[in-house]
């Protein structure tokens, strides 16, 4: 601590104060907060009050009537969302949720207890909107909205990944993730979004995907992976783009098109579709399954989601197949049909290979790639050589959204067990509904907040470490692009021996394709042990 | 200082090991806010309480190794797990490492009176220098952890779309490039040697 004199150093007390949370002022720290949104990225989508500011400054450049804006926004949402009003009213502060959040568990900061996180906003609700709170103030758990309170809310709304683990344990079903969602909406009324969310939103609006890949780059990156496949597998693939009249539109998060190791999951998709001779198409317009709008406001989520149905209509496809993504599936499963449906120009999805009707997708017309692949395996439509994955000892991380958000637990496990011989589950209280978040979801996968990401990633990593030490697990499989982007960082800090892969990558490795090479390398171009090509010495 | 003194002290410390471990754990917990400390102490499930269980699992073996050095790898592993957590939590470097000085306090709290009664003050000082050496080692580990965090931040940057818009992620390109280089080298391409 550079600002301590040697004398002060001698007097230092290392014990934190025993003060109630409301009296501990917020201290915004590097490594925890994300950089503010660039004004031009707010302007692109017409969001209010774009301005330059820094979380470390005293003056955040708020509009003069900021307090009124927030309180009006809150009033409006209390009327509009019954759930929000209920969540504000009924918490009995029983504490059942308190120790369930990965950010509390990893950081030890009591303000990361879900009950306190919600209380940051609830105290303002009481202090500004309820009679008891207005009169009794602190005695009734209320406080007024001040700049410091706003800063505190901002700081902690961006330390919640909206994972909903806490809600699983609340006897009243209070969903703190929804409180965070509203909290972020209020923050956005003042132009205080973080750039890591806002830039993808603006990109998605302008180019169709978070990364801002232009159509030719999007296409070129997919072709890149086709070149890899040709080299490693010996199969030439010429994927279809923007093809009108295809039966199926395939949409996946753009992380799969751009970033290592998601791109190997992309190879898996490409090979599977080629092998099946699937009548499908990619779109360079609806080229993002993810939806950072969902981390901004409901309205933005709706706007960005709309392009998927528009494109499906324009291309005249029958139904939509979706890739491995987390929050994309929460949006599809819980909101898409009401946001932008009914999609009655589409048909109820039927697998052209097995004839299976995906009745669960009747309303959205969108099927998850794991459901599709599991069905193929179940009907013996894939020839698989599991032994190609024998050097891998695999465990599966349930991503928060596909598990808690849509209830998908079995399909990925079924696939993994059919393409790998070595599969080990992590402890029960860390998987399925109770899964721990990767620690970087809901738009918090930036680089500048790495300390909080690593804190939040600890509970998941702790369980991975256990199966690594006990069974020698060396591969963490998942069905989410954010997981693939962030778990490698978390693993390299907590359990460096464990790598990360999408389930479809493991499928691609095991898939026996007609006319393929003798496989000596995997989809990453790395030698498969015992299959000929050994690693050339590392010292380049 | 006669050899007997330190042996006698180690005997006393070994006898009181359970209480010392407990006291040290309590002092580590106290570096967190009270409600957090309470949770770290109470929740016994390893997976529901990763920080608390890391402290719980590391403290005993570390003290055992100090009393009777046996397996330096085990010692290092436990030190690492303890520091790795604190290196990314909301602590300054001195606060993160203060727990090793707290161990001295824990020992004095438990056996201080007996040490004085039996005239073993010098032996205690000698033992405390073992704790100091461990603290230096801990400092090394702390720095490695911090450097690792920066390394991760750097690698993360390579995967950022905004750095290299309009192409493939840099980390993939670097890996691809290296692979081709390695292959070419393997085939003895003279231009690369
Ligand atoms: S939704 Fe997840 S991140 Fe947010 S408070 Fe609940 S457990 Fe924590
Ligand atoms: S479990 Fe539910 S009622 Fe209990 S403190 Fe948490 S949010 Fe409130």
């Amino acid at each position: 601590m550079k600002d301590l004199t040697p004398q002060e150093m001698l007097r230092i007390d290392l014990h934190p104060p025993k003060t109630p949370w409301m009296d501990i002022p917020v201290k915004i720290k590097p490594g925890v907060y994300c950089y503010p949104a660039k004004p031009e990225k707010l302007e692109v989508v017409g969001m209010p009050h774009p301005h330059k500011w820094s979380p470390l400054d005293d003056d955040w450049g708020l509009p003069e009537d900021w307090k009124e804006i927030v309180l009006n926004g809150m009033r409006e949402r209390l009327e509009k969302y019954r759930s929000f009003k209920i969540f504000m009213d009924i918490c009995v502060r029983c504490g059942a949720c308190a120790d369930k959040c990965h950010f509390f568990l990893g950081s030890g900061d009591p303000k990361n207890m879900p009950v306190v996180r919600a209380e940051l906003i609830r105290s303002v609700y009481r202090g500004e909107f309820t009679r008891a709170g207005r009169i009794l103030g602190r005695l009734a758990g209320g406080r007024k909205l001040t700049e410091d309170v706003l800063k505190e809310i901002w700081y902690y709304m961006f330390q919640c990944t909206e994972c909903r683990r806490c809600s699983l344990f609340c006897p009243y079903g209070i969903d703190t993730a929804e409180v965070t969602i509203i909290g972020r909406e209020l923050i956005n009324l003042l132009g205080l979004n973080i750039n890591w969310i806002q830039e993808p939103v603006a990109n998605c609006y302008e180019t169709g995907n978070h990364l801002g890949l232009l159509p030719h780059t999007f296409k070129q990156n997919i072709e890149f992976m086709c070149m890899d496949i040709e080299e490693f597998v010996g199969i030439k693939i010429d994927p279809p783009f923007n093809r009108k009249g295809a039966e199926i539109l395939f949409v996946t998060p753009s992380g799969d098109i751009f970033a290592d190791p998601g791109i190997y999951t992309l190879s898996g998709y490409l090979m599977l579709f080629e092998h099946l001779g699937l009548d499908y198409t990619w779109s360079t317009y609806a080229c993002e399954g993810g939806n950072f709008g969902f981390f901004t406001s409901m309205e933005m989520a709706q706007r960005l989601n709309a392009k998927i149905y528009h494109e499906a209509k324009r291309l005249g496809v029958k139904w939509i197949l979706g890739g491995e993504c987390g929050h994309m599936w929460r949006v599809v499963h819980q909101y898409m049909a009401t946001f932008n449906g009914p999609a009655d120009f589409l048909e109820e999805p039927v697998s052209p290979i097995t004839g299976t009707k995906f009745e669960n997708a009747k309303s959205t017309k969108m099927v998850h790639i794991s459901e599709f692949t599991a069905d193929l395996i179940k009907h013996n439509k894939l020839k698989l050589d599991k032994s190609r994955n024998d050097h891998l000892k695999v465990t599966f991380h349930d991503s928060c959204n596909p598990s808690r958000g849509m209830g998908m637990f079995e399909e990925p496990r079924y696939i993994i067990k059919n393409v790998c011989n070595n599969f080990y589950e992590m402890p029960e209280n860390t998987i399925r509904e109770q899964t721990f978040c990767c620690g970087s979801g809901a738009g918090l996968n930036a680089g500048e907040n790495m300390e909080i990401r690593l804190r939040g990633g600890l509970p998941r990593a702790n369980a991975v470490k256990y199966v690594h030490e006990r069974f020698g697990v060396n591969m963490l499989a998942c069905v989410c692009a954010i997981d693939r982007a962030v778990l490698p960082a978390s693993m390299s800090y907590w359990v460096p021996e464990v790598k990360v892969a999408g389930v479809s990558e493991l499928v691609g490795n095991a898939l026996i394709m007609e006319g393929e090479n003798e496989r000596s390398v995997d989809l990453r171009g790395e030698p498969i042990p015992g299959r000929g090509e050994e690693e050339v010495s590392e010292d380049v | 200082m006669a050899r007997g003194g330190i042996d006698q002290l180690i005997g006393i410390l070994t006898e009181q090991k359970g209480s010392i471990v407990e006291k040290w754990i309590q002092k580590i917990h106290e570096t967190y806010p009270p409600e957090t400390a309470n949770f770290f102490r109470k929740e016994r499930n390893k997976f529901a309480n990763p920080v608390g269980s890391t402290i719980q699992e590391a403290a005993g073996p570390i003290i055992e190794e100090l009393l009777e050095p046996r397996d330096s790898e085990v010692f290092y592993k436990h030190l690492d797990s303890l520091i790795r957590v604190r290196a990314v939590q909301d602590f300054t470097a001195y606060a993160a490492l203060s727990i090793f000085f707290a161990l001295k306090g824990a020992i004095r709290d438990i056996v201080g009176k007996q040490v004085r009664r039996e005239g073993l003050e010098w032996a205690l000082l000698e033992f405390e220098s073992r704790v100091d050496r461990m603290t230096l080692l801990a400092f090394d580990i702390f720095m490695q952890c911090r450097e690792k965090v920066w390394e991760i931040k750097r690698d993360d940057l390579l995967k950022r779309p905004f750095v290299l818009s309009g192409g493939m992620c840099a980390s993939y390109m670097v890996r691809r490039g290296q692979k081709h280089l390695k292959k070419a080298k393997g085939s003895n391409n003279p231009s690369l040697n």
Side-chain angles (χ1 to χ4, degrees):
Chain A
M1 214 189 225
K2 53 184 178 314
D3 43 3
L4 282 183
T5 64
Q7 284 76 12
E8 283 169 326
M9 185 87 196
L10 293 174
R11 264 187 275 117
I12 202 98
D13 177 9
L14 289 160
H15 298 151
K18 295 187 169 59
T19 322
W21 70 263
M22 255 195 229
D23 297 328
I24 301 176
V26 65
K27 199 156 185 231
I28 292 177
K29 296 197 176 161
V32 176
Y33 73 84
C34 294
Y35 300 145
K38 294 178 192 152
E40 64 272 22
K41 301 294 171 191
L42 289 160
E43 275 157 15
V44 167
V45 282
M47 281 172 62
H49 203 59
H51 66 293
K52 277 210 165 113
W53 63 287
S54 162
L56 297 179
D57 288 347
D58 283 341
D59 182 0
W60 281 16
L62 300 174
E64 223 149 79
D65 56 344
W66 72 268
K67 195 170 163 177
E68 218 180 311
I69 296 175
V70 174
L71 293 179
N72 284 341
M74 211 161 157
R75 187 171 300 113
E76 204 181 290
R77 284 161 183 80
L78 286 164
E79 281 161 16
K80 190 167 160 195
Y81 301 113
R82 213 176 130 62
S83 54
F84 181 49
K85 173 85 170 59
I86 290 173
F87 296 164
M88 289 294 102
D89 281 327
I90 63 166
C91 171
V92 293
R93 286 184 264 181
C94 70
C97 62
D99 53 6
K100 302 302 185 291
C101 174
H102 50 287
F103 283 118
F104 169 67
L105 295 178
S107 71
D109 177 353
K111 287 186 187 170
N112 271 322
M113 292 175 168
V115 52
V116 181
R117 194 187 311 286
E119 203 70 11
L120 298 176
I121 293 186
R122 200 178 279 124
S123 55
V124 173
Y125 164 72
R126 290 202 200 97
E128 302 276 5
F129 291 90
T130 68
R131 189 183 298 176
R134 270 201 302 252
I135 298 168
L136 297 173
R138 278 289 289 269
L139 276 177
R143 60 175 175 173
K144 294 287 173 202
L145 181 61
T146 63
E147 274 197 39
D148 282 344
V149 168
L150 175 75
K151 288 177 180 175
E152 183 177 54
I153 291 175
W154 181 86
Y155 196 45
Y156 286 97
M157 290 303 110
F158 292 111
Q159 290 182 55
C160 167
T161 45
E162 303 178 2
C163 77
R164 299 174 79 210
R165 188 170 195 268
C166 50
S167 77
L168 202 67
F169 299 89
C170 174
Y172 298 91
I174 293 175
D175 185 350
T176 301
E178 288 205 17
V179 177
T180 298
I181 289 172
I182 304 280
R184 290 191 185 182
E185 282 200 21
L186 298 173
I187 283 163
N188 276 313
L189 298 174
L190 303 173
L192 299 177
N193 206 357
I194 59 170
N195 202 56
W196 194 256
I197 293 177
Q198 193 60 40
E199 187 149 340
V201 164
N203 285 341
C204 199
Y205 180 71
E206 287 186 312
T207 65
N209 60 71
H210 290 156
L211 306 180
L213 305 174
L214 295 170
H216 63 277
T217 314
F218 182 84
K219 184 166 176 274
Q220 171 200 308
N221 281 11
I222 293 178
E223 285 166 354
F224 243 122
M225 297 324 287
C226 290
M227 280 156 57
D228 269 12
I229 295 168
E230 195 173 353
E231 182 183 339
F232 304 148
V233 182
I235 300 283
K236 191 167 164 39
I237 299 177
D238 190 11
F241 291 94
N242 304 329
R243 188 163 65 84
K244 284 194 174 172
E247 183 180 353
I248 298 164
L249 167 65
F250 182 65
V251 181
T252 200
S254 58
D256 286 351
I257 315 297
F258 179 85
D260 186 351
I263 43 179
Y264 309 113
T265 306
L266 166 67
S267 298
Y269 307 144
L270 289 164
M271 289 163 62
L272 180 70
F273 301 157
E274 178 71 15
H275 175 72
L276 299 171
L278 200 67
D279 178 10
Y280 84 110
T281 184
W282 291 89
S283 161
T284 55
Y285 304 104
C287 48
E288 178 62 71
N291 191 331
F292 273 36
F294 185 56
F295 309 141
T296 305
S297 68
M298 284 298 173
E299 188 233 339
M300 196 56 71
Q302 179 175 16
R303 275 168 75 183
L304 299 184
N305 173 264
K307 68 177 179 296
I308 299 180
Y309 279 156
H310 280 298
E311 183 65 345
K313 196 170 195 173
R314 187 182 75 89
L315 295 173
V317 300
K318 288 189 183 155
W319 56 278
I320 308 163
L321 184 61
E324 296 182 12
C325 183
H327 67 277
M328 155 181 170
W329 284 102
R330 171 115 151 254
V331 175
V332 169
H333 188 75
Q334 295 184 339
Y335 301 98
M336 190 173 184
T338 26
F339 273 171
N340 296 305
D344 38 20
F345 53 93
L346 294 171
E347 292 175 14
E348 189 178 326
V350 175
S351 167
I353 316 296
T354 64
T356 299
K357 243 191 195 178
F358 293 97
E359 285 175 10
N360 56 328
K362 205 176 200 154
S363 105
T364 60
K365 318 286 196 297
M366 192 154 173
V367 175
H368 193 291
I369 184 80
S370 291
E371 294 169 339
F372 182 71
T373 308
D375 174 64
L376 292 168
I377 296 175
K378 184 91 189 158
H379 287 88
N380 278 324
K381 298 293 179 192
L382 302 181
K383 269 194 253 160
L384 300 163
D385 179 358
K386 287 168 121 175
S387 71
R388 288 183 197 152
N389 285 322
D390 272 357
H391 55 299
L392 303 179
K393 293 199 164 130
V394 182
T395 191
F396 179 66
H397 161 68
D398 291 271
S399 311
C400 306
N401 289 304
S403 59
R404 276 189 287 272
M406 68 183 287
M408 190 175 75
F409 305 115
E410 298 310 328
E411 288 85 347
R413 289 182 165 79
Y414 178 76
I415 299 170
I416 294 172
K417 286 180 195 159
N418 275 283
V419 299
C420 300
N421 280 314
N422 312 310
F423 174 66
Y424 304 90
E425 289 279 17
M426 284 182 271
E428 210 181 334
N429 56 344
T430 72
I431 56 170
R432 298 177 187 264
E433 294 96 325
Q434 296 191 52
T435 187
F436 276 118
C437 178
C438 60
S440 312
L444 302 187
N445 50 325
E448 63 269 21
N449 61 338
M450 192 55 78
E451 277 81 352
I452 192 74
R453 282 179 52 187
L454 291 172
R455 291 173 207 169
L458 171 60
R460 167 43 75 229
N462 182 52
V464 176
K465 190 171 171 201
Y466 173 76
V467 283
H468 167 68
E469 285 174 353
R470 178 123 197 241
F471 307 113
V473 162
N474 56 9
M475 184 57 88
L476 178 57
C478 58
V479 285
C480 168
I482 289 187
D483 283 340
R484 286 190 285 278
V486 305
L487 284 172
S490 174
M491 288 302 116
S492 81
Y493 188 76
W494 297 113
V495 207
E497 302 82 358
V498 176
K499 303 277 175 282
V500 179
V503 169
S504 292
E505 178 186 343
L506 303 176
V507 173
N509 278 332
L511 185 67
I512 301 173
M513 298 178 76
E514 209 157 303
E516 70 177 15
N517 286 344
E518 185 79 25
R519 299 260 198 114
S520 58
V521 294
D522 61 15
L523 299 189
R524 302 183 184 199
E526 283 162 12
I528 304 173
R531 298 217 175 210
E533 188 176 323
E534 292 311 327
E535 186 65 89
V536 192
S537 95
E538 278 294 327
D539 49 339
V540 180
Chain B
M1 171 83 240
R3 180 73 220 160
I6 188 82
D7 286 347
Q8 195 186 341
L9 177 75
I10 300 263
I12 295 170
L13 295 175
T14 308
E15 221 165 80
Q16 297 292 335
K17 199 183 71 194
S19 316
I20 296 171
V21 171
E22 217 172 281
K23 191 80 193 174
W24 189 34
I25 290 177
Q26 183 199 330
K27 285 182 185 286
I28 299 175
H29 286 167
E30 282 169 0
T31 61
Y32 295 92
E35 47 278 65
T36 307
N38 200 21
F39 167 72
F40 285 171
R41 189 176 63 245
K42 275 211 214 125
E43 175 59 68
R44 289 286 158 167
N45 183 291
K46 181 178 160 67
F47 304 104
N49 181 10
V51 176
S53 65
T54 301
I55 298 168
Q56 188 73 36
E57 283 171 19
I62 289 176
I63 290 177
E64 273 164 28
E65 279 293 322
L66 280 175
L67 291 173
E68 192 187 344
R70 259 186 296 225
D71 186 340
S72 60
E73 241 170 68
V74 173
F75 183 56
Y76 192 86
K77 183 184 130 190
H78 287 293
L79 265 186
D80 181 278
S81 66
L82 207 52
I83 298 159
R84 190 160 293 272
V85 169
R86 295 178 74 86
V88 290
Q89 288 181 327
D90 190 13
F91 292 113
T92 52
Y94 79 84
L97 297 172
S98 66
I99 54 170
F100 298 102
F101 301 109
L103 174 57
K104 292 187 193 176
I107 291 172
R108 288 183 206 171
D109 284 355
I110 302 291
V111 300
K113 272 197 197 133
Q114 198 178 348
V115 163
R116 236 172 294 135
R117 221 175 25 241
E118 305 196 13
L120 291 169
E121 288 91 341
W122 275 105
L124 183 62
L125 282 181
E126 198 178 321
F127 184 77
E128 285 189 349
S129 49
R130 286 193 198 176
V131 178
D132 292 340
R133 282 197 296 277
M134 170 176 74
T135 308
L136 290 176
L137 184 59
F139 187 70
D140 263 359
I141 299 175
F142 179 84
M143 285 312 295
Q144 282 163 18
C145 289
R146 292 305 312 167
E147 275 167 22
K148 182 75 191 171
V149 172
W150 284 102
E151 195 184 293
I152 293 171
K153 285 189 182 185
R154 180 204 62 201
D155 291 350
D156 219 59
L157 211 63
L158 279 178
K159 291 185 186 176
R160 279 196 183 198
F162 316 129
V163 173
L164 195 87
S165 60
M168 186 55 116
C169 93
S171 105
Y172 168 80
M173 298 306 275
V174 170
R175 241 169 51 79
R176 264 309 252 170
Q178 275 175 352
K179 201 176 134 48
H180 279 290
L181 205 61
K182 263 193 250 173
K183 260 202 170 157
K185 239 189 137 178
S187 68
N188 267 334
N189 182 335
S191 64
L192 288 160
N193 285 320

